Amino acid sequence: MALFCDVALPVPLDQTFTYAVNGVVPVVGARVLVPFSGQRLMGVVVRVHEDAPVEEFEIKPVQQVLDDAALLPEELMKLAGWIAQYYVAPLGEVLRGMLPLAAEVKRHFSYRIAEQGRKVLYEGAMKGSSRRSKLSVEEQDREYSVLNYLEGGEAAKMSALRSATGANKGLLEGMVRKKWLLREVIAEERDARRLEKVAVLVAEARLPKLNENQTAILAELAAVGGRMRVRDLRLSLTRAGVPESTLGTLVKRGLVVVEEVAEEFHLGGVGAHGKKHAHEHALNEAQMEALGTIAAAMERGGFRPHLLYGITGSGKTSVYFAAMQRALDAGKSALLLVPEIGLTPAMAGQMVAAFGGEVALLHSQLTPDERAEQWHRIRRGEARIVVGTRSAVFAPMVDLGLVIVDEEHDSSYKQEETPRYHGRDVAVMRAKFNEAVVVLGSATPSLESWSNAEKGRYARVEMRARVADRPMPLVELVDMREEFRETGQEQIFSRRLIEETQATLDRGEQVILLLNRRGYSSTVLCRSCGEKIECENCAVSMTYHKPVSGNDAIAQPGQRLECHYCGSRRSVPKACPKCESEHLYFLGAGSQQGEERLQELFPTARIGRMDRDTVRGRSDMERLLARLHGGEINLLVGTQMIAKGHDIHGVTLVGVIGADFALGLPDFRAAERVFQLLTQVSGRAGRGDLIGKVLVQTYHPEHYAIQFAAKHDYPGFVAKEMQYRRWMHYPPFAVLANVVIQSEKLEEATAWAGTLGRWFQKARLDKVRVLGPAAAPIVKLKRIYRFHFVLKAERRQTLGETLRAMLAYAETQEIARRNLVVDVDAVHLM
Ligand code: ADP
Ligand code: ZN
Ligand code: ZN
């Protein structure tokens, strides 16, 4: 009886594909290589069966089975199925995101001598055929060496053949075509622990005379505690224009040594700073109670979701640690999801400090090899504590007992490409399939999670006071309309904020200022006709970035405009592209301008800036945080990055500039976002022994999001916001999907939007509200035109059925699947 297997492939099609089993019978959950429209793709077997497919077209055989056991455990296969169903996403694309990257299936070619080759070798026919051969004599000799080398009959790897005979791939493949050689493809698993180089500052060394570049390297190293990955160091040197050879010089002079150590997470000095680690605190009463609830659920066993609502500074991290320790004690593993490891390196650092070699880290800055390595460590049960970002929710944990989602409200948990899953919600399902306990933690829980707690689906655990009886900071609103009336000037910083900042700096304390826009100016506007300079690829304003004046004093004229969506750049035009007026001016101050202004206002302050332009990777962040912790920086300005969970004890003043920009956006989550941002950034003040203060500059002082944030009243905000959501039939009172129709051709996009619009009308859906078609808020993105529908339904099943029916109809209309983006539980409607 012929055997077949159904394979899920990473292609944007909602179906699996059938292949004939050829030799090795794969198990469900194993990876296979199969031919697919001229390419070779890696897929996952989802079914093995004997039902010969009815279609007349030829069923191709599986080329290679890569795993003899299921690579994905059963509960992850189930989870994949759930995601495909819930988010209306192709199963193969879901599975692709779950596997360690394709890097490890890089095929190794090996070659074996064939009958024909043996004949050639024995007959010594090489010379005889040379007249007919296109090959040079040299190449023919090389072929002969290859045959000689393989004569024993063993297969040899391409790399071995290359070094033994000098043959390259082309030559070997030529011999395969002549049937002199047989080629074999081997997929090797590689997970040997790799070594990496770390530059270490030699502390005792007496400093000889150094040049500027050498000093720069030493300062860089000193700033992060004397140790740094050579890889990271190189990056920042390149950025600073220091030649790479300088490091070598320092090594030669004995000032720096380069060590080889097993690759792991480096703390780069972050984590300690004289403070206790989160796991070293004796828990207070509220923390004990929270831990008690979670631990009891783990003891009982089985699936149990919790919402841990704990205000900023209530010590949630210590509870996570204690709960994870309990999981380990019970012989189970624990998974901690964080929004972005690079932004809160202290969290990962403390995990390593507490759990050492048990920890595996999974995040986007790993290379494919590193990721594969971590993946296998977890799969083998060597790492039972996993800390990672969104996709770590798929870590192949052994005996998973506990899943924690820190800052569960954070929108970075939502994946903005197919499959568009929400890491938090998948974490809950993951825990369900694993019969594990799950904890969603936040000071500002999402309305979805809060409502689940209200309904009793999640157990609610609360920590409503800061540790050590620290008070919440006082929040003061500064009405910027009044400020303008009184000063007659549009200023970034109000007089009140300047005054408080000066006073705080004078007391030797630290200040953080949130200016949630990067760049110098967010818009270039024509004063004559009102035209904004837009990106040529996207329907958005371009941001002005002031060139950083280098060492030479000559001002650079090239004023750079940058699109924050597609990254394209151009220079500021001489005149308005529409009316040719030369009166172009800049509008909307960003963090870069904020920094410049602060330098004028506080010339003696030690100012730092934290945004995507100054923080590119984890090491930048660590360095900046180390400088803050050490007091080297006493005034920090930055975008929402500064609002993340940093725990800097010297900060007593937080200033907020324009956190309410977002209130004007066409997005039903705008108020929730503003409330979250204000609460999170306010939470950075007064975390040490001194009481903190927050000044919020706003044009909407009466807005409820701002009012409730000023009073630290999350429950109050939620009650109000829930009313609005209920009236408007928005989540959590309805389920929602955003459907985007996209095409590079405007006519195509509009025509398809019309086609689907008519279908929605005809379908007369009484259980689904359809808004649209409308131009998407960003109608053109990366040269692609976008229209959208927003679908709202009371029941999830109705929504799913409607979306599937729409996709089926679209297929009959020859609208390709890749032109339709289905975003279930969309977080951004842009
Ligand atoms: P959250 O994440 O809830 O905002 P953190 O977990 O960052 O708060 O804790 C805030 C600060 O309190 C940290 O400096 C932490 O080390 C400290 N801390 C935690 N638990 C205790 C405790 N029981 N006693 C004293 N300090 C604590
Ligand atoms: Zn103009
Ligand atoms: Zn653009």
Side-chain angles (χ1 to χ4, degrees):
M1 192 80 196
L3 260 187
F4 301 93
C5 61
D6 294 347
V7 179
L9 291 173
V11 292
L13 294 167
D14 301 289
Q15 62 175 105
T16 55
F17 300 86
T18 304
Y19 289 87
V21 168
N22 176 20
V24 189
V25 181
V27 297
V28 170
R31 293 166 307 168
V32 289
L33 291 174
V34 294
F36 185 84
S37 69
Q39 324 164 45
R40 184 184 167 99
L41 291 183
M42 185 176 79
V44 176
V45 176
V46 293
R47 195 165 85 93
V48 180
H49 56 90
E50 296 182 347
D51 318 333
V54 282
E55 287 102 317
E56 42 278 20
F57 49 78
E58 162 199 11
I59 298 294
K60 298 206 178 99
V62 170
Q63 283 176 344
Q64 195 183 348
V65 178
L66 296 174
D67 311 298
D68 23 331
L71 187 66
L72 289 174
E74 196 192 329
E75 71 268 11
L76 281 180
M77 290 297 284
K78 264 201 231 161
L79 188 64
W82 178 82
I83 292 174
Q85 181 70 24
Y86 184 99
Y87 292 102
V88 193
L91 182 60
E93 295 199 317
V94 175
L95 287 166
R96 175 174 55 187
M98 288 189 161
L99 293 168
L101 292 183
E104 67 182 282
V105 281
K106 254 190 198 143
R107 294 148 293 159
H108 294 267
F109 289 116
S110 68
Y111 297 88
R112 196 188 287 278
I113 192 163
E115 263 323 294
Q116 186 66 24
R118 231 173 255 287
K119 233 161 110 193
V120 173
L121 185 64
Y122 293 143
E123 287 168 4
M126 301 297 289
K127 295 273 169 347
S129 66
S130 69
R131 251 171 289 125
R132 278 177 286 131
S133 173
K134 280 180 269 156
L135 299 181
S136 68
V137 177
E138 203 179 296
E139 281 170 320
Q140 292 179 38
D141 282 348
R142 208 161 272 160
E143 287 189 337
Y144 195 73
S145 334
V146 170
L147 292 175
N148 239 335
Y149 187 88
L150 293 173
E151 196 202 343
E154 293 290 306
K157 276 194 188 170
M158 183 160 84
S159 52
L161 281 171
R162 185 179 287 163
S163 49
T165 68
N168 60 16
K169 187 169 181 201
L171 184 109
L172 293 170
E173 289 299 302
M175 293 174 76
V176 170
R177 280 194 294 277
K178 288 190 281 192
K179 299 208 161 49
W180 293 5
L181 297 183
L182 297 170
R183 185 184 63 202
E184 291 167 7
V185 187
I186 311 167
E188 239 175 49
E189 212 173 274
R190 27 179 174 139
D191 54 21
R193 219 153 148 65
R194 295 177 326 135
L195 296 176
E196 66 169 349
K197 295 200 166 104
V198 178
V200 183
L201 194 62
V202 178
E204 312 82 62
R206 291 241 326 270
L207 289 189
K209 236 174 119 51
L210 298 170
N211 68 24
E212 206 177 303
N213 286 337
Q214 292 166 343
T215 315
I217 295 190
L218 296 183
E220 187 85 17
L221 274 173
V224 294
R227 285 180 82 87
M228 193 169 182
R229 297 209 279 192
V230 170
R231 214 197 315 164
D232 294 337
L233 185 59
R234 287 230 168 90
L235 263 176
S236 57
L237 293 183
T238 320
R239 219 175 297 146
V242 175
E244 276 193 27
S245 57
T246 313
L247 180 60
T249 313
L250 288 174
V251 172
K252 260 186 248 136
R253 298 180 68 175
L255 299 171
V256 173
V257 290
V258 172
E259 291 177 357
E260 282 215 323
V261 296
E263 179 134 38
E264 56 166 61
F265 188 75
H266 287 285
L267 304 182
V270 171
H273 306 295
K275 296 188 311 181
K276 274 191 186 170
H277 283 304
H279 66 284
E280 292 164 343
H281 291 289
L283 299 187
N284 66 24
E285 214 171 298
Q287 288 171 316
M288 284 303 278
E289 213 179 301
L291 174 67
T293 310
I294 297 163
M298 285 201 282
E299 266 161 42
R300 278 198 306 276
F303 171 62
R304 185 71 177 133
H306 299 79
L307 175 63
L308 172 58
Y309 162 52
I311 64 166
T312 58
S314 60
K316 294 185 285 296
T317 319
S318 303
V319 175
Y320 300 158
F321 275 95
M324 291 169 95
Q325 185 61 55
R326 294 287 176 96
L328 283 187
D329 293 345
K332 304 253 178 164
S333 63
L335 170 64
L336 169 66
L337 297 182
V338 295
E340 252 180 285
I341 283 183
L343 294 186
T344 48
M347 175 69 103
Q350 298 195 62
M351 282 288 158
V352 177
F355 299 113
E358 286 277 12
V359 180
L361 293 161
L362 290 172
H363 55 85
S364 61
Q365 284 180 44
L366 297 178
T367 64
D369 281 350
E370 289 170 328
R371 176 177 291 270
E373 233 169 72
Q374 299 286 337
W375 198 90
H376 285 290
R377 280 183 66 218
I378 300 165
R379 181 88 168 96
R380 288 193 299 261
E382 287 168 23
R384 291 185 299 156
I385 296 286
V386 175
V387 184
T389 45
R390 186 176 60 227
S391 66
V393 73
F394 304 128
M397 315 283 299
V398 177
D399 284 329
L400 182 59
L402 174 67
V403 181
I404 298 172
V405 183
D406 187 29
E407 310 288 359
E408 67 89 32
H409 64 277
D410 198 290
S411 60
S412 71
Y413 284 121
K414 184 70 162 53
Q415 169 141 309
E416 296 293 356
E417 57 191 70
T418 323
R420 295 176 169 256
Y421 66 90
H422 199 301
R424 172 197 61 219
D425 300 329
V426 174
V428 173
M429 285 314 287
R430 172 88 203 258
K432 188 168 180 178
F433 289 134
N434 276 87
E435 299 189 14
V437 166
V438 58
V439 177
L440 311 180
S442 176
T444 51
S446 63
L447 270 79
E448 284 83 350
S449 296
W450 188 260
S451 127
N452 279 326
E454 300 265 88
K455 286 181 197 144
R457 281 194 206 147
Y458 297 172
R460 187 157 62 211
V461 184
E462 298 192 1
M463 300 202 299
R464 298 187 68 159
R466 283 188 157 183
V467 294
D469 295 322
R470 282 175 200 145
M472 288 303 274
L474 285 170
V475 182
E476 185 183 319
L477 300 182
V478 180
D479 186 339
M480 292 305 278
R481 297 167 304 187
E482 222 164 88
E483 181 79 5
F484 181 74
R485 273 197 298 274
E486 287 170 18
T487 63
Q489 271 179 323
E490 201 77 53
Q491 293 285 0
I492 308 177
F493 304 112
S494 62
R495 293 163 301 171
R496 186 83 187 93
L497 183 57
I498 293 169
E499 180 191 321
E500 280 292 335
T501 301
Q502 188 64 62
T504 310
L505 296 177
D506 289 347
R507 288 197 304 269
E509 296 160 19
Q510 291 169 301
V511 182
I512 286 184
L513 300 177
L514 170 74
L515 213 174
N516 199 18
R517 272 200 294 228
R518 69 185 177 93
Y520 195 86
S521 300
S522 60
T523 311
V524 184
L525 193 81
C526 168
R527 184 166 279 183
S528 307
C529 75
E531 178 85 349
K532 287 178 188 160
I533 308 282
E534 282 197 348
C535 170
E536 53 173 15
N537 305 323
C538 316
V540 296
S541 292
M542 294 192 87
T543 301
Y544 168 50
H545 288 256
K546 198 166 184 174
V548 200
S549 44
N551 290 332
D552 54 286
I554 309 153
Q556 302 292 316
Q559 300 197 316
R560 176 163 70 86
L561 296 181
E562 192 185 298
C563 170
H564 285 178
Y565 286 84
C566 73
S568 78
R569 292 171 179 188
R570 60 168 295 178
S571 53
V572 177
K574 281 221 170 62
C576 168
K578 198 168 155 202
C579 76
E580 288 175 12
S581 152
E582 286 181 10
H583 299 285
L584 294 176
Y585 71 120
F586 294 118
L587 216 68
S591 49
Q592 194 187 18
Q593 189 174 346
E595 182 188 15
E596 187 181 282
R597 188 83 187 95
L598 290 175
Q599 250 144 15
E600 292 162 18
L601 288 165
F602 310 102
T604 59
R606 304 180 298 277
I607 301 173
R609 168 153 65 98
M610 188 185 279
D611 58 29
R612 284 262 165 242
D613 299 308
T614 59
V615 177
R616 295 258 160 81
R618 194 176 70 211
S619 61
D620 292 330
M621 192 64 169
E622 288 179 2
R623 208 161 28 243
L624 205 47
L625 287 174
R627 290 183 174 144
L628 262 171
H629 281 292
E632 204 183 304
I633 290 172
N634 62 354
L635 176 52
L636 180 77
V637 59
T639 55
Q640 37 126 11
M641 271 186 199
I642 65 171
K644 303 283 165 179
H646 315 303
D647 187 41
I648 300 150
H649 285 190
V651 175
T652 54
L653 177 66
V654 165
V656 181
I657 296 104
D660 49 6
F661 297 147
L663 287 176
L665 294 176
D667 183 340
F668 73 94
R669 292 186 208 271
E672 183 182 6
R673 283 216 185 88
V674 168
F675 179 85
Q676 286 166 349
L677 181 58
L678 279 177
T679 304
Q680 297 291 342
V681 73
S682 304
R684 299 314 108 207
R687 294 173 76 91
D689 296 330
L690 299 167
I691 183 167
K693 180 173 227 168
V694 182
L695 282 181
V696 179
Q697 297 188 174
T698 175
Y699 288 90
H700 308 276
E702 67 297 327
H703 193 286
Y704 64 96
I706 292 182
Q707 285 291 334
F708 283 117
K711 285 184 275 185
H712 308 293
D713 187 0
Y714 173 80
F717 169 75
V718 164
K720 176 97 184 168
E721 183 67 8
M722 287 284 185
Q723 269 177 7
Y724 158 74
R725 301 280 180 97
R726 189 195 299 274
W727 286 332
M728 302 298 290
H729 301 280
Y730 275 121
F733 297 96
V735 288
L736 170 151
N738 190 26
V739 176
V740 176
I741 295 103
Q742 55 181 25
S743 169
E744 278 180 40
K745 296 187 196 124
L746 178 60
E747 320 79 72
E748 230 169 42
T750 43
W752 290 338
T755 306
L756 292 182
R758 282 187 294 280
W759 180 81
F760 278 126
Q761 253 170 18
K762 259 211 229 112
R764 289 179 177 278
L765 307 159
D766 55 352
K767 299 256 161 53
V768 183
R769 286 161 199 261
V770 180
L771 312 174
I778 299 178
V779 68
K780 187 177 155 205
L781 195 61
K782 299 179 184 172
R783 295 183 172 278
I784 292 174
Y785 292 92
R786 311 162 73 241
F787 290 80
H788 77 150
F789 294 91
V790 174
L791 273 60
K792 295 193 280 186
E794 225 149 88
R795 295 187 50 235
R796 187 149 303 271
Q797 200 188 340
T798 328
L799 182 71
E801 281 163 8
T802 309
L803 289 168
R804 274 173 225 287
M806 176 206 74
L807 287 175
Y809 176 73
E811 201 178 338
T812 67
Q813 299 302 299
E814 286 174 6
I815 305 174
R817 184 68 169 84
R818 70 191 146 76
N819 295 104
L820 289 173
V821 177
V822 174
D823 191 358
V824 173
D825 296 347
V827 164
H828 292 282
L829 296 181
M830 306 303 272

